[in-house]
Amino acid sequence: MLEPLPSDIPKFLEKYLPDNGPFITLTYAQSLDSRIAAAPGERTYISHAQTKTMTHYIRAHHDAILVGINTVLADNPSLNCRYGTNNSKIRPVVIDPNFRFFSEDINNYKLIDNYKRNNNLKPIFIISEDISIKDESVLNLIDIIQIPLVDGIMSWSDIFTSLHNLGLKSIMVEGGATIINTLLTTTLVDSLIITIGPIFLGNEGVQVSPSSQVKLENINWWTGIQDSVMCANLKK
Amino acid sequence: MLEPLPSDIPKFLEKYLPDNGPFITLTYAQSLDSRIAAAPGERTYISHAQTKTMTHYIRAHHDAILVGINTVLADNPSLNCRYGTNNSKIRPVVIDPNFRFFSEDINNYKLIDNYKRNNNLKPIFIISEDISIKDESVLNLIDIIQIPLVDGIMSWSDIFTSLHNLGLKSIMVEGGATIINTLLTTTLVDSLIITIGPIFLGNEGVQVSPSSQVKLENINWWTGIQDSVMCANLKK
């Protein structure tokens, strides 16, 4: 069960949520020292239950949640939407260039289980064009999009275009650090929503910091019982 | 001239300012990605004019401001107090184990100039016991406290005790990163006041992140035009 949504959150978020067109929201929770986890692969609780409810409220406004494969392997996240009385289903999207997920026992993962039990939509894995799918039975449980590598990496613009082409207009990107750091230096993010939890996770933690300066505009803060949340747009 | 102090700041800070006993306040401004400067030695503006006024208001409640020598050499800070109609004078304290300041043309520095023009109190330099003062005329412009090195470093507890013994009970520590990171892992900080400016300075910046996790309590947030300010106590 989620805690109730603080009553002033909908108004606070209003200007930062998708309208009808294609829309990319980047959102995550960090410590004061900009860590999203205490160590690589370690699930870390940073935000208060009320800001967790906010995350599910934001998910309810999107067609898809996108994370990196490291986040899936480390946290085994549900990637569902538990806000409201009718839980809205949402498409989990996992960026996994080398298709590492295929080497796992994928039935152990909540995003697979949720789909099998009809509790959520079928996950999409975004993998490199160079990978050949050896066992096509995996396609019963996940959809696959293959993207060309340019200089060894997939382009964010190719990724979002392929998702928009599937009818997934609004995409909520939740992490992890590599995903966030690379996306922050593009011009593709429509809204940024960061929860700051009042703790220092320390310099062994997994940090968010882009490779160059990023300026913001239309800044708004909300403060809860424990956390502060900042909404903004990236200056283009 | 400083901007006016936001009217709700005194109440917000009340519980986090010194009473009559010895008191250590740690305060600084950081970016979202926990950088206090865009690059080593580069003076970087992070906070809005209204939170700058807050800094001078906080200074007015302290006997001394403490910074590291890197901050003095990089930023040439005034380390004075410009809040209120009668500017309160305050003691600048610089941690400078190897007395690098002595190799500088010290008359170029604002904290020296302010003292010479009777605009502020005499700066104190805290240097290693191993340093011998070759030119005692420097003592006309600064006071020196010598502290023993234990395993190559001066202990924070020795530093604060020596300042308290001079009658400087309340000390406001403002940076830079080494000072902040080491002090965060002690039990000596009575109040923590962090201003968060809504910008990413990027991973070439000078970062605050202590060597281990630090938990906080009695957390309070204030939001201004641009920045968010968090006050807290370190959990001991």
Side-chain angles (χ1 to χ4, degrees):
Chain A
M1 278 295 290
L2 294 176
E3 286 220 350
L5 188 74
S7 60
D8 51 349
I9 282 284
K11 179 108 186 83
F12 166 66
L13 292 177
E14 200 173 29
K15 283 190 302 171
Y16 303 95
L17 292 176
D19 41 32
N20 290 318
F23 199 96
I24 309 297
T25 306
L26 176 58
T27 185
Y28 56 94
Q30 66 164 68
S31 61
L32 290 165
D33 54 342
S34 197
R35 268 59 186 171
I36 58 170
E42 184 174 327
R43 183 159 204 172
T44 310
Y45 294 92
I46 294 171
S47 57
H48 188 275
Q50 62 175 181
T51 37
K52 183 178 173 189
T53 303
M54 182 191 75
T55 299
H56 285 269
Y57 174 81
I58 299 171
R59 287 180 179 177
H61 289 78
H62 288 81
D63 299 321
I65 312 178
L66 184 151
V67 299
I69 183 63
N70 288 333
T71 299
V72 170
L73 301 182
D75 295 354
N76 189 9
S78 293
L79 300 180
N80 60 4
C81 174
R82 290 185 281 133
Y83 180 76
T85 43
N86 297 315
N87 296 351
S88 344
K89 293 183 180 175
I90 188 166
R91 276 280 231 175
V93 177
V94 181
I95 305 290
D96 185 9
N98 301 314
F99 203 23
R100 290 162 58 201
F101 195 62
F102 186 68
S103 317
E104 300 286 317
D105 183 352
I106 72 174
N107 292 295
N108 290 337
Y109 285 87
K110 288 182 191 164
L111 80 173
I112 299 297
D113 194 54
N114 283 335
Y115 173 59
K116 286 200 291 193
R117 293 189 294 109
N118 198 30
N119 284 338
N120 204 9
L121 302 179
K122 194 174 187 184
I124 297 172
F125 277 68
I126 299 189
I127 72 174
S128 154
E129 207 177 52
D130 304 344
I131 303 278
S132 57
I133 311 297
K134 283 154 200 149
D135 175 4
E136 298 218 337
S137 72
V138 74
L139 298 174
N140 295 325
L141 296 175
I142 62 175
D143 285 335
I144 289 179
I145 296 177
Q146 294 198 276
I147 301 271
L149 296 180
V150 180
D151 295 334
I153 55 172
M154 303 192 295
S155 101
W156 277 114
S157 146
D158 287 351
I159 291 168
F160 292 136
T161 301
S162 67
L163 293 170
H164 293 328
N165 289 344
L166 289 178
L168 303 169
K169 288 183 179 170
S170 52
I171 320 270
M172 177 169 169
V173 180
E174 297 199 19
T178 308
I179 301 271
I180 298 167
N181 288 334
T182 56
L183 200 49
L184 276 172
T185 57
T186 70
T187 55
L188 302 170
V189 175
D190 296 292
S191 271
L192 178 65
I193 305 173
I194 303 176
T195 298
I196 303 176
I199 186 174
F200 294 89
L201 289 176
N203 66 16
E204 303 292 312
V206 179
Q207 77 167 310
V208 168
S209 186
S211 59
S212 54
Q213 285 195 33
V214 178
K215 292 189 174 159
L216 305 177
E217 59 191 1
N218 305 323
I219 291 137
N220 247 304
W221 293 91
W222 175 90
T223 300
I225 294 168
Q226 171 195 294
D227 307 325
S228 201
V229 178
M230 189 211 65
C231 291
N233 304 123
L234 276 63
K235 249 186 199 162
K236 294 188 175 173
Chain B
M1 279 294 289
L2 294 176
E3 287 220 349
L5 187 73
S7 60
D8 51 351
I9 282 282
K11 179 106 187 81
F12 166 67
L13 292 177
E14 201 172 30
K15 284 190 302 173
Y16 303 95
L17 292 175
D19 40 32
N20 290 318
F23 199 96
I24 309 299
T25 306
L26 176 58
T27 186
Y28 55 94
Q30 65 164 67
S31 61
L32 290 165
D33 54 342
S34 196
R35 269 57 187 173
I36 57 170
E42 184 173 327
R43 183 160 203 171
T44 309
Y45 294 92
I46 294 171
S47 57
H48 188 275
Q50 61 174 181
T51 36
K52 183 178 173 189
T53 304
M54 181 191 75
T55 298
H56 284 268
Y57 173 82
I58 299 170
R59 288 181 179 176
H61 289 79
H62 288 80
D63 299 321
I65 312 178
L66 184 150
V67 298
I69 183 64
N70 289 332
T71 300
V72 170
L73 301 182
D75 295 353
N76 190 7
S78 293
L79 300 180
N80 59 4
C81 174
R82 289 185 282 132
Y83 180 77
T85 44
N86 297 314
N87 297 351
S88 343
K89 293 181 179 175
I90 188 164
R91 276 280 232 176
V93 177
V94 181
I95 306 290
D96 186 8
N98 301 315
F99 203 23
R100 291 162 57 200
F101 194 62
F102 186 67
S103 317
E104 300 287 317
D105 184 352
I106 73 174
N107 292 293
N108 291 337
Y109 286 86
K110 288 181 192 166
L111 80 173
I112 300 297
D113 194 54
N114 283 335
Y115 172 60
K116 287 200 290 194
R117 293 187 296 108
N118 198 30
N119 285 337
N120 204 9
L121 302 179
K122 195 174 186 182
I124 298 172
F125 277 68
I126 299 191
I127 71 174
S128 153
E129 207 177 52
D130 305 344
I131 304 279
S132 57
I133 311 297
K134 285 155 197 145
D135 176 4
E136 298 218 338
S137 72
V138 74
L139 298 175
N140 295 324
L141 297 175
I142 62 174
D143 285 334
I144 288 178
I145 295 178
Q146 295 197 277
I147 301 270
L149 295 181
V150 179
D151 296 334
I153 55 172
M154 303 192 296
S155 101
W156 277 115
S157 144
D158 286 352
I159 290 169
F160 292 135
T161 302
S162 68
L163 293 170
H164 294 327
N165 289 344
L166 288 178
L168 302 169
K169 287 184 181 169
S170 53
I171 320 270
M172 175 169 169
V173 180
E174 297 199 19
T178 308
I179 302 270
I180 297 167
N181 287 334
T182 57
L183 200 48
L184 277 172
T185 56
T186 70
T187 55
L188 303 170
V189 176
D190 295 293
S191 271
L192 178 64
I193 305 173
I194 302 177
T195 298
I196 303 176
I199 186 174
F200 294 89
L201 289 175
N203 66 16
E204 303 292 311
V206 179
Q207 77 166 310
V208 167
S209 186
S211 59
S212 55
Q213 286 196 32
V214 178
K215 292 187 174 162
L216 305 177
E217 59 192 359
N218 305 322
I219 291 138
N220 246 305
W221 293 92
W222 174 90
T223 300
I225 295 169
Q226 171 195 293
D227 307 325
S228 200
V229 179
M230 189 212 64
C231 291
N233 303 125
L234 276 63
K235 249 187 199 162
K236 292 188 178 174

